[in-house]
Amino acid sequence: MRAVAVVGSSVAGWRAAQELREQGFDGRLVIIGAESHRPYDRPPLSKEFLSGGLQPDELALGSDQEEADLDADWRLGTAAVRLDTRRGAVVLADGSEVRVDGVVLATGSARLSLPGTGEAPGSHRMRTIDDALALRADIRAGARVVVVGGGLIGTEIASSCRELGAQVTLVDAQHLPLARTLGIELAPLYFAQHEDHGVKVRCGTPATRVLAEDRVTGVELADGRVLPADAVVVEVGAEPATHWLRGSGLKLRDGVVTDAGCATALPNVVAVGDIARYQPLHRSHTVRSDHWSTAMNQPPVAVRNLLAGRTIAPYTGIPHYWSRQYGSTLQFAGYAGPKDRITVVDGSLGSRRFVATYHRGGRPVAVLAMNSPKQFATHRRRLTTALAGPAKQE
């Protein structure tokens, strides 16, 4: 293999580029990214960065020396728009193309939106460092901020805005956001934190559009109510950025379908991070994980299989994530579902310091901890051991 393109310059792409060099690839390495920025860490955008605890240069994933060691051809600020596997070419938005004989797909996900999102000052999405900077400039003490979306990122944004002194309203279409992830027993506890800190939680009625005149004025709900706002953040989910891969011959189904080693059905093409729908050894069906841990941990395996020309190693990592809001830390690992049996095995819900395990068919499948990092580490190791056994039908 003489030339490899890594398409995507966030954490999964950065790790893939590093792994290519560390695993002995000495050919031409091209890193393609739609953003003009060098690779940076995204999770802090909705937390420490938004609240002012970090500055842009502190988000960099690599040092100047590490970037120099890659000896890469950087193609930043121009998105990939087509993958021509017959010719071995990645076509860019400016009409140029990169000819390679190996490709790592790491284009991540694209944020969904509402009508009116981003059309006037004060209306925001949270995806890039520029998005976070624009939102941070709009948040001031007393400002009315409506956050549309009660998922993990939306709730982090709500917490950060409240920390900055804004009057925050959190809106979600679901009656109990995060119930599919945390379970109906634990999700209410998570949202109680927001109400305890003065956030107005409005769940069960979808937001339909962002309203604006010279700048944003509010959010309209499906029942006709209007929530006035000086700033609106729309965080209603994301979808894998696979539109540019249509017609490439890759199998696309809520992501790029791969085997257990992140290899696609096309020779010399692998996928990592948010975009990869892979087949874990300990699951009976494919999954897609949009968490930072997966983006960090898949590239070593995917690159090994790319360089070998076939799958010689499976990816065995288990998705995990953490969130910090109002001084509390939430940690989660595994594959929870809405019908899992949940047991508090350490601490208590009342103290908001506990560890809970999730079981399905008598087998542990996930663990959640709140303000219990040591205990979480112990139970996460046990979960990893349990999931390493033979897969069961689910």
Side-chain angles (χ1 to χ4, degrees):
M1 194 170 293
R2 295 170 298 176
V4 174
V6 176
V7 188
S9 59
S10 193
V11 62
W14 168 254
R15 286 293 298 127
Q18 286 185 309
E19 282 296 325
L20 280 161
R21 293 306 191 206
E22 289 173 11
Q23 294 188 31
F25 175 69
D26 59 2
R28 184 186 180 211
L29 173 59
V30 185
I31 302 174
I32 300 167
E35 287 188 68
S36 59
H37 301 288
R38 296 293 209 198
Y40 60 89
D41 209 11
R42 293 186 192 274
L45 293 180
S46 54
K47 299 188 283 290
E48 301 94 334
F49 185 77
L50 180 57
S51 61
L54 291 175
Q55 297 307 311
D57 59 342
E58 296 177 274
L59 298 180
L61 287 172
S63 65
D64 291 343
Q65 185 58 55
E66 287 174 316
E67 289 190 9
D69 290 343
L70 288 181
D71 188 25
D73 176 5
W74 294 85
R75 302 289 185 91
L76 300 180
T78 305
V81 295
R82 187 162 58 90
L83 176 63
D84 187 336
T85 53
R86 182 180 59 83
R87 297 172 50 246
V90 179
V91 182
L92 307 186
D94 62 4
S96 65
E97 62 180 36
V98 177
R99 300 292 292 270
V100 292
D101 45 20
V103 179
V104 179
L105 302 173
T107 44
S109 56
R111 312 315 292 180
L112 301 176
S113 64
L114 293 174
T117 304
E119 294 180 4
S123 179
H124 303 274
R125 282 179 287 187
M126 178 70 78
R127 175 59 180 167
T128 69
I129 191 171
D130 294 325
D131 294 336
L133 285 169
L135 175 58
R136 193 162 78 175
D138 262 355
I139 306 303
R140 64 186 185 281
R144 299 168 301 173
V145 178
V146 175
V147 179
V148 183
L152 189 65
I153 297 177
T155 52
E156 289 176 348
I157 293 170
S159 172
S160 297
C161 290
R162 191 73 187 100
E163 184 179 336
L164 292 170
Q167 301 176 41
V168 180
T169 302
L170 182 61
V171 181
D172 196 276
Q174 303 296 317
H175 287 284
L176 188 55
L178 290 177
R180 290 183 61 84
T181 302
L182 305 183
I184 59 174
E185 298 96 331
L186 300 181
L189 182 67
Y190 192 58
F191 282 89
Q193 283 195 118
H194 293 277
E195 293 179 324
D196 290 348
H197 287 82
V199 173
K200 297 177 182 178
V201 179
R202 302 287 183 264
C203 295
T205 304
T208 54
R209 60 176 175 146
V210 177
L211 303 176
E213 294 175 0
D214 293 333
R215 60 174 292 119
V216 69
T217 60
V219 173
E220 184 177 66
L221 305 185
D223 60 8
R225 285 181 295 164
V226 172
L227 303 176
D230 302 305
V232 174
V233 190
V234 176
E235 185 52 53
V236 291
E239 59 184 9
T242 59
H243 58 282
W244 68 283
L245 294 169
R246 293 169 188 160
S248 65
L250 290 166
K251 186 176 182 180
L252 306 177
R253 190 178 75 245
D254 185 35
V256 177
V257 178
T258 77
D259 65 10
C262 301
T264 73
L266 297 180
N268 297 337
V269 179
V270 298
V272 292
D274 295 12
I275 200 174
R277 173 163 288 279
Y278 65 102
Q279 177 65 65
L281 295 181
H282 40 261
R283 298 277 284 183
S284 58
H285 53 80
T286 60
V287 300
R288 187 177 67 83
S289 172
D290 56 2
H291 299 306
W292 182 90
S293 61
T294 305
M296 279 290 290
N297 296 330
Q298 278 183 341
V301 174
V303 166
R304 182 180 176 189
N305 294 331
L306 177 68
L307 296 178
R310 59 188 177 88
T311 298
I312 60 175
Y315 174 65
T316 58
I318 297 171
H320 69 273
Y321 64 81
W322 68 275
S323 179
R324 188 164 180 80
Q325 301 179 28
Y326 309 111
S328 290
T329 300
L330 181 85
Q331 295 167 284
F332 183 91
Y335 303 94
K339 296 182 180 180
D340 295 341
R341 179 172 59 84
I342 302 174
T343 304
V344 176
V345 294
D346 192 284
S348 68
L349 300 184
S351 67
R352 295 186 182 174
R353 188 180 299 276
F354 65 88
V355 178
T357 57
Y358 298 67
H359 287 75
R360 191 178 313 148
R363 188 185 194 198
V365 292
V367 59
L368 168 72
M370 190 172 190
N371 298 318
S372 301
K374 283 189 177 181
Q375 293 85 345
F376 174 77
T378 298
H379 286 278
R380 180 182 162 193
R381 286 193 295 270
R382 293 174 184 171
L383 175 68
T384 301
T385 300
L387 290 180
K392 292 186 178 183
Q393 294 299 314
E394 299 164 1

